Amino acid sequence: MAFPIRSAVAALCAGLAATLLTTAPARAEKQEHAWTVSAGAHAPRARITLDDSTGTLNLSVTRDGRTVIEPSPVGIVTEQADTSRELRFLHRKNRTVEERYRTKSGKRLDRRVRMHETRLSFATPAGARLDLLVRASADGVAYRYVLPAGHGDVLGETSAFNLPPDARAWLGTYRADNEGQFTEYTAATAPTGEYSDQALFETAGGYTLLAESDLTGTYSGARLAHDNGSGTYRVKLADARVKTDGPLTTPWRAMVTGDLATVTRSTFTDDLAPASKVADTSWIKPGTVLWTWLAGGRPAGQSLAAQKAYVDYAAERNWPYEAVDAGWYFKTDAWDTTDPDWQTDSWMPELTAYARAKGVGIIVWIHQRELDTPEERAQWLPTLERWGVKGVKIDFMDSEAQPTLKWYDAVLADTAAHHLMVDFHGSTIPKGIQRTWPHVMTLEGVAGEEKRNNTAAHLTTLPFTRNVIGSMDFTPGAFQRVGLRPNSDAAEAGLAVAYESGLQMFAGTPESYDARPLARDFLDQLPAAWDDTRLLAGRPGQEAVLARRSGDRWFLGGVYAGAARTAEVPLTIGSGRWLVETIEDGTGGLVRNRKVLRGGDTLTVDVVAGGGFAGIACPWRPGVTTCHR
């Protein structure tokens, strides 16, 4: 019996060895041409694959095994090489990126970054090189291209994002000033056209906001091109040819991913951006601003007396800034800066001195054309600094083409050198700029309060799209624009919290505030910056309730679209008992309600059609009757 057993064992071993010899190479080959990157078990997972037959790269994203982004093409085409095909894998390098940094404004001041990074290196048959950098964190996945010198100008990307056709989509039609309205579609039914790259999708894997980070004048701004009937959104650059000189690292193509609360709270696009280039940030001070444009228009801008009256009101309310908009330096179209006396013709030095004595800083509007060249910036910026101006609102760039991005690079360095905070209007959207240049307090890039065609659905979509990626100068508080805005007075007050901006510009008139003392007193309480941000309730296009913390107080802002209702908001702001003061719409105007609730309880608020609310929650103890200080 021994011999048959030995024979059977030998045969089994031989068969097993043959199996191992035939299957091991296939397993190794498969591993060599598919790579995954993830920051953890429940974090989004990127999978990069190289097709053996075509040499093309694809990237897909899943979360907890569910689809976020379907396999999507990756590649870039230059004058010298098409690195979107016929690629051969060379090697892989991994590292962990861990950073801590502090900002001057945003969703929270202290940030902690932990990302897993993979660098995959490839070559074409002709020897052209391409490195694909992929990063994954708890709240997103991003990739970028790295090219060596000698590749020539960039002619375009083959990058795209393939979404499930039935994915819900919230898209803003692309405009150079990024002021398109957000509308809900499915990924496939969105009309053929171009959309802003701040596009939000809902898939089986949760929510994903497409975005961009670390965009500078070395490259070109991106938008999304889409054909009706397809779930594909292609990356289209603003320039047909991107000028390059030497090695190139492109901006990050980012996918902010998670449940809606995670996406809303995310700082992923900032986390991807380079560290601050401003060594001393002590002069950068966020705060609320009395903005005079919607309050008085150009006639107010041309009047020193009117501006002093606005300064008086800001001082009375302890609002730290007043913004002087278009008109203050106009004679015909602009001052003749070739006149040696042009700097002495302005009343701005008198206004800044007047405001300084009252504890108010002045922000001034200026057209981009006045700062277009180094010579013009050398005239304007030192003068504004000498006058005591605290910041500039620069308007009408209206482009994301490479020459304009180079201008951004220059003006950012120059304004920082002259200690001038910046508010960009008619502009690009943040794209990580506020981490690298923390004196950029806010940017427009949104269909804001000035617009007369905004909808309540648009207002409830902005916290999940545009405001996710950085400060947004929507300019809330325009109570006088009854009939020109789609929301109620309580919702208008709530926008000051629901929308984050390092310089929160209040767009109302003093008379409109005094006619609504509850809203005015609420705005008086708003802090300069936030320690934390949480989404309490939300659905794009329907409702958005955000809580932002300063110290031990949480400020609440809720906006709703649709019919009147009793809103139910989970008070997920921490354990213990809280005094919650809300400002709501009543039958005769705004009313204040007070409740004592435990953390995790449901806050109920009566909301009118297109309404909302504002509120403050503070720790309750016996004897505490108000959250106002």
Side-chain angles (χ1 to χ4, degrees):
M1 295 295 293
F3 178 77
I5 293 175
R6 285 198 299 271
S7 299
V9 170
L12 179 62
C13 291
L16 179 60
T19 301
L20 290 173
L21 288 172
T22 56
T23 60
R27 186 178 297 116
E29 183 178 353
K30 182 178 180 181
Q31 182 179 7
E32 180 181 334
H33 295 93
W35 308 268
T36 60
V37 190
S38 180
H42 300 290
R45 179 178 298 272
R47 186 172 189 268
I48 308 96
T49 59
L50 178 65
D51 187 294
D52 290 334
S53 60
T54 62
T56 56
L57 283 169
N58 280 277
L59 182 143
S60 60
V61 180
T62 57
R63 180 170 164 264
D64 288 330
R66 297 178 178 178
T67 298
V68 172
I69 301 290
E70 295 179 343
S72 303
V74 173
I76 186 169
V77 180
T78 73
E79 285 182 309
Q80 302 300 323
D82 180 355
T83 61
S84 68
R85 57 191 179 89
E86 296 186 290
L87 292 175
R88 174 174 54 88
F89 175 65
L90 300 178
H91 52 80
R92 175 182 184 177
K93 184 178 181 180
N94 299 326
R95 72 180 183 119
T96 299
V97 178
E98 293 191 272
E99 298 172 330
R100 298 195 71 166
Y101 66 99
R102 185 172 174 84
T103 66
K104 301 298 289 192
S105 60
K107 300 173 192 177
R108 55 187 175 278
L109 300 182
D110 289 308
R111 314 278 181 89
R112 185 169 184 175
V113 180
R114 189 173 191 277
M115 303 181 190
H116 288 203
E117 178 185 283
T118 285
R119 178 186 287 257
L120 300 171
S121 296
F122 302 92
T124 68
R129 293 286 301 274
L130 170 72
D131 281 6
L132 178 69
L133 259 64
V134 183
R135 284 188 181 179
S137 73
D139 56 348
V141 168
Y143 69 88
R144 73 192 319 177
Y145 307 115
V146 180
L147 301 174
H151 53 74
D153 293 345
V154 173
L155 303 182
E157 295 184 21
T158 58
S159 316
F161 301 95
N162 288 333
L163 281 303
D166 61 349
R168 303 307 302 173
W170 292 267
L171 307 173
T173 301
Y174 180 79
R175 292 173 37 150
D177 58 9
N178 289 285
E179 295 179 22
Q181 292 273 328
F182 282 93
T183 305
E184 182 177 352
Y185 308 98
T186 66
T189 60
T192 296
E194 295 181 357
Y195 297 94
S196 175
D197 62 353
Q198 46 179 334
L200 180 68
F201 298 91
E202 183 185 12
T203 67
Y207 287 84
T208 297
L209 181 71
L210 303 184
E212 191 173 18
S213 183
D214 194 15
L215 174 65
T216 70
T218 63
Y219 208 64
S220 179
R223 65 197 71 165
L224 300 173
H226 170 68
D227 295 322
N228 179 262
S230 165
T232 298
Y233 289 78
R234 304 181 306 278
V235 172
K236 180 178 179 180
L237 302 180
D239 298 273
R241 177 183 292 265
V242 180
K243 301 293 184 181
T244 63
D245 181 15
L248 174 68
T249 299
T250 69
W252 292 102
R253 303 272 164 254
M255 294 150 275
V256 186
T257 300
D259 58 24
L260 193 59
T262 297
V263 170
T264 307
R265 191 174 184 268
S266 174
T267 60
F268 188 52
T269 53
D270 280 349
D271 298 342
L272 289 165
S276 173
K277 294 186 178 182
V278 182
D280 174 20
T281 61
S282 61
W283 53 276
I284 304 171
K285 297 179 180 179
T288 54
V289 188
L290 176 59
W291 180 46
T292 61
W293 180 251
L294 288 185
R298 181 171 292 185
Q302 292 172 325
S303 168
L304 174 61
Q307 293 302 324
K308 284 185 174 181
Y310 288 126
V311 166
D312 291 342
Y313 193 81
E316 178 186 341
R317 306 252 52 86
N318 290 316
W319 296 350
Y321 299 106
E322 188 250 359
V324 184
D325 215 281
W328 70 270
Y329 67 79
F330 283 90
K331 284 186 176 178
T332 52
D333 289 326
W335 293 112
D336 179 7
T337 54
T338 62
D339 179 351
D341 297 324
W342 74 274
Q343 295 175 349
T344 63
D345 290 337
S346 176
W347 44 256
M348 187 56 67
E350 182 179 346
L351 179 65
T352 56
Y354 181 85
R356 184 166 53 249
K358 291 179 172 285
V360 176
I362 297 297
I363 312 293
V364 299
W365 179 95
I366 190 167
H367 199 293
Q368 184 270 342
R369 66 187 172 211
E370 313 298 344
L371 303 174
D372 192 36
T373 66
E375 294 75 20
E376 289 167 337
R377 294 192 291 274
Q379 287 180 318
W380 276 102
L381 300 182
T383 301
L384 295 175
E385 180 185 26
R386 186 174 67 254
W387 287 349
V389 169
K390 299 300 181 183
V392 287
K393 175 181 174 180
I394 309 174
D395 208 346
F396 294 117
M397 286 69 70
D398 291 336
S399 172
E400 293 178 311
Q402 189 176 24
T404 302
L405 297 177
K406 288 181 179 293
W407 174 87
Y408 276 103
D409 295 342
V411 82
L412 286 165
D414 290 345
T415 49
H418 292 288
H419 291 181
L420 292 167
M421 296 182 292
V422 177
D423 172 4
F424 284 121
H425 265 234
S427 66
T428 184
I429 49 182
K431 303 186 179 184
I433 195 173
Q434 290 182 276
R435 180 184 181 186
T436 308
W437 298 103
H439 66 301
V440 178
M441 308 309 295
T442 191
L443 301 90
E444 189 181 28
V446 66
E449 195 70 82
E450 290 181 89
K451 302 298 178 287
R452 300 190 178 196
N453 60 342
N454 279 345
T455 65
H458 173 68
L459 300 189
T460 60
T461 303
L462 290 175
F464 312 117
T465 51
R466 166 63 182 83
N467 213 188
V468 169
I469 57 175
S471 291
M472 180 176 75
D473 195 13
F474 183 90
T475 66
F479 294 103
Q480 77 277 15
R481 291 171 66 83
V482 175
L484 298 178
R485 51 182 171 85
N487 57 342
S488 70
D489 281 354
E492 189 70 13
L495 291 183
V497 175
Y499 298 163
E500 185 279 321
S501 181
L503 290 175
Q504 188 66 283
M505 301 256 180
F506 298 150
T509 62
E511 295 78 14
S512 70
Y513 296 129
D514 291 342
R516 300 164 177 82
L518 290 179
R520 179 197 63 195
D521 295 346
F522 174 77
L523 298 181
D524 289 350
Q525 295 289 308
L526 286 182
W530 304 110
D531 295 314
D532 198 4
T533 292
R534 294 184 185 179
L535 177 67
L536 301 187
R539 173 71 179 174
Q542 298 179 21
E543 66 173 338
V545 183
L546 282 88
R548 302 189 193 273
R549 181 175 63 83
S550 175
D552 63 353
R553 294 191 297 174
W554 288 90
F555 289 75
L556 313 177
V559 289
Y560 295 82
R565 74 196 77 175
T566 297
E568 296 185 347
V569 179
L571 197 66
T572 51
I573 57 175
S575 60
R577 303 182 76 179
W578 297 88
L579 174 62
V580 183
E581 296 181 304
T582 55
I583 298 170
E584 306 171 22
D585 295 293
T587 55
L590 295 174
V591 296
R592 176 186 287 140
N593 288 315
R594 291 187 174 97
K595 300 176 182 179
V596 176
L597 300 172
R598 292 189 178 275
D601 285 353
T602 298
L603 170 67
T604 59
V605 180
D606 289 331
V607 174
V608 301
F613 69 95
I616 307 176
C618 59
W620 180 86
R621 62 182 183 278
V624 174
T625 60
T626 181
C627 291
H628 284 235
R629 295 172 184 170

